[in-house]
Amino acid sequence: LTISGMFGGFDYLVEEQCGKLVLYAEQSSRMDHSSDDYLYFEVTLDGNRLLQEDERKVIAERFRELSKMAAKKHTMKLKEMRSNHESSQRK
């Protein structure tokens, strides 16, 4: 899910690990020149921390995968809506 802000925002996902919920957040800024500047956080009931190096790369890739899936789903929905509109115009 994306929470937009005027100069960027947060994406987040929640996963279960070892029976506990973990929230991962990706902080982005429109002022950043690339996604290499994004910050990634892990939040649990025990606290939070900024992810670094390999952990950061893993969760960044997870966010990219989710973004691709969302874009694909959005494209499919647009095609469906267009098809429905075209078929209603033919009637």
Side-chain angles (χ1 to χ4, degrees):
L1 182 63
T2 299
I3 301 172
S4 302
M6 189 174 243
F7 292 103
F10 288 88
D11 284 328
Y12 70 91
L13 65 98
V14 177
E15 296 182 337
E16 186 176 339
Q17 293 183 1
C18 302
K20 295 182 179 183
L21 292 179
V22 179
L23 180 138
Y24 291 101
E26 173 189 64
Q27 180 267 319
S28 64
S29 170
R30 292 188 179 118
M31 307 296 273
D32 294 336
H33 297 286
S34 76
S35 60
D36 293 338
D37 296 327
Y38 292 3
L39 298 176
Y40 296 89
F41 301 90
E42 177 185 87
V43 181
T44 66
L45 291 175
D46 299 324
N48 63 76
R49 64 191 182 95
L50 179 64
L51 298 178
Q52 303 286 336
E53 300 179 19
D54 288 344
E55 289 180 309
R56 182 189 184 285
K57 290 176 187 176
V58 168
I59 202 65
E61 181 58 31
R62 180 84 170 102
F63 276 103
R64 298 296 76 77
E65 290 170 10
L66 290 172
S67 181
K68 288 176 190 175
M69 289 172 38
K72 189 180 284 188
K73 188 175 182 180
H74 180 73
T75 300
M76 290 172 55
K77 184 66 176 174
L78 286 175
K79 286 180 182 180
E80 178 186 334
M81 291 170 61
R82 186 175 295 130
S83 176
N84 290 342
H85 177 73
E86 290 170 355
S87 65
S88 70
Q89 294 294 317
R90 286 184 232 143
K91 292 181 181 181

